[in-house]
Amino acid sequence: MELPMVWRQWLARHDRIRDALPAVPLIVIATAATAVGKNDWHEPRWDEVVWMALSCVPLAFRSRWPLGVAVFTLAGDLTLMAVASHIAPTPAASLVALYTLAVHGSRRTAWSVGVAAGVAITGVYAATQAESLVGGASLLRFDFVLAATALGRAVRSRRESLAAARERVEHAERMKEEEARRRVTQERVRIARDLHDVVAHHITLVNAQAGVAHHLMRANPDQAYEALAHIKDNSRAALDELRATVGLLRQPGDAPGSRAPIPRLADLDTLVDGCRASGLSVRVTRTGTPSPLTPATELTAYRIIQEALTNSHKHAAGSEAALVLDYGPHTLRVTVTDDGRPGPPKGAGTGHGLVGMRERATAIGGTVTAGPLPGRGFEVVAELPLSLAPTSVSNPS
């Protein structure tokens, strides 16, 4: 299967050679035909073979100028039929040219030229061979011309049908991808809106009631106690609505592991041990003074490290990776590098991993940069805030 594909690709790049290929069997057949006698074989009539070869020369340009080549070869074949009437030659080059005209030209042009060529060939043959126009030998040549034209039109129709089917499939795939992206975008917007409504309403109430409770705790404990009760009710309502919103994201077939606790940086040892067991050497370094992190920052840092080490294992098999956690006054800097040691990749990447890392970091106010190192290797650097910056939330109307 590979050889024909390579051969077709090579011919597609050399159209002159591809167009001239039919001349080879025509010349071979002409040589054999002129060497056949009534009872034996004799030396081919080389003058007729040379004439056949010359009539095939225009075929090298048949796909570039199909109409001109058809007219030129037809004139040459009609001349050969008139001059060498004793051999009753078949206009083979003209048949190839008419087939090409039917493939590349319009239907009206193909059939007009085809019928005119059939009439001309039949008339010249009948005149030079003293045959009837409706005789079997004369009509046979007319049928050859019509068959060449019909075959060319059939091939053209099949190619157009395949091209139309391919275009429909590609269009359907594009529409399917666009529809999928549109639905994903709508779903993300809907979920973001629902989460915003839950957070904006209930957390604003909780914050206000907590301020009231703090203010009245000593002066009026009863009202403070009532405010705390409202905080409890509103926080429970917020949790119920958040649980319902997140439940929409769960699929009926989700594995039990999908409900596991959110991973944290304390779980890095397990992650690193798994990478080492799969063949990736990982060196972990911690600098600075570790500070408490928000759950969102811990989850983001863990996921970025997980994705970066996965990429190192996938695209730089057998390499060594270095993980550095640098705790600063306000940010956590995560750096994952590998030496890019060559090796068989574990699978093809989709390009979504880096996008996902950047989206996670941006969501909490951080940044991610990634790219190849000079020489070889790859580096991922994430700057994540130790605590999320407070944002103003307006009271719901």
Side-chain angles (χ1 to χ4, degrees), residues 35-364:
V36 176
K38 291 184 178 181
N39 299 316
D40 59 353
W41 290 77
H42 54 76
E43 184 178 358
R45 292 188 290 271
W46 295 111
D47 54 342
E48 298 173 11
V49 174
V50 171
W51 188 276
M52 172 62 75
L54 291 176
S55 67
C56 291
V57 170
L59 295 181
F61 304 94
R62 59 192 177 95
S63 60
R64 179 176 295 183
W65 302 299
L67 180 58
V69 170
V71 172
F72 193 84
T73 54
L74 180 61
D77 282 338
L78 291 175
T79 302
L80 177 61
M81 292 173 65
V83 173
S85 59
H86 59 285
I87 63 172
T90 300
S94 294
L95 297 181
V96 176
L98 291 172
Y99 162 83
T100 305
L101 177 61
V103 171
H104 296 283
S106 65
R107 181 174 60 181
R108 173 178 294 182
T109 301
W111 282 113
S112 298
V113 176
V115 172
V119 172
I121 291 173
T122 303
V124 172
Y125 176 81
T128 56
Q129 301 296 322
E131 291 277 351
S132 171
L133 281 174
V134 294
S138 300
L139 291 180
L140 181 62
R141 280 155 177 78
F142 186 78
D143 292 341
F144 281 161
V145 174
L146 294 187
T149 303
L151 179 61
R153 293 307 305 173
V155 171
R156 180 187 176 98
S157 298
R158 182 175 181 274
R159 291 179 180 177
E160 291 176 346
S161 299
L162 291 177
R166 188 180 301 109
E167 177 62 26
R168 288 195 298 269
V169 171
E170 292 175 354
H171 178 72
E173 288 293 332
R174 289 194 300 269
M175 294 300 296
K176 182 179 179 180
E177 293 176 359
E178 291 175 1
E179 178 66 15
R181 286 195 295 268
R182 185 184 65 82
R183 290 187 178 183
V184 169
T185 301
Q186 289 181 346
E187 187 67 10
R188 292 177 66 176
V189 171
R190 184 189 64 78
I191 294 172
R193 183 171 59 247
D194 291 345
L195 290 175
H196 174 268
D197 292 343
V198 172
V199 172
H201 177 71
H202 292 291
I203 301 303
T204 300
L205 292 179
V206 168
N207 183 65
Q209 291 159 355
V212 171
H214 181 268
H215 179 72
L216 298 177
M217 182 62 69
R218 294 182 179 178
N220 194 334
D222 292 338
Q223 290 186 7
Y225 181 82
E226 184 178 352
L228 290 175
H230 287 306
I231 291 175
K232 178 181 179 182
D233 294 338
N234 280 290
S235 61
R236 176 176 295 174
L239 288 175
D240 291 340
E241 293 191 25
L242 284 173
R243 187 179 296 109
T245 302
V246 174
L248 295 176
L249 303 179
R250 297 193 183 277
Q251 300 297 325
D254 281 348
S258 62
R259 301 173 183 264
I262 296 177
R264 310 174 70 90
L265 290 181
D267 303 317
L268 270 183
D269 291 341
T270 302
L271 175 64
V272 171
D273 289 342
C275 293
R276 289 169 178 165
S278 62
L280 178 67
S281 176
V282 183
R283 184 177 67 258
V284 181
T285 304
R286 292 178 172 85
T287 61
T289 303
S291 304
L293 303 176
T294 63
T297 299
E298 284 213 57
L299 175 61
T300 300
Y302 182 92
R303 293 303 188 196
I304 290 175
I305 294 170
Q306 183 182 43
E307 180 65 27
L309 292 178
T310 300
N311 288 340
S312 296
H313 176 61
K314 182 186 299 182
H315 302 296
S319 66
E320 295 182 357
L323 167 61
V324 179
L325 299 174
D326 182 16
Y327 292 86
H330 305 290
T331 60
L332 169 64
R333 181 184 177 91
V334 178
T335 305
V336 180
T337 58
D338 62 63
D339 59 7
R341 186 177 302 170
K346 299 297 184 182
T350 62
H352 298 163
L354 295 179
V355 175
M357 285 192 282
R358 293 191 179 97
E359 288 184 349
R360 285 182 179 275
T362 302
I364 64 171

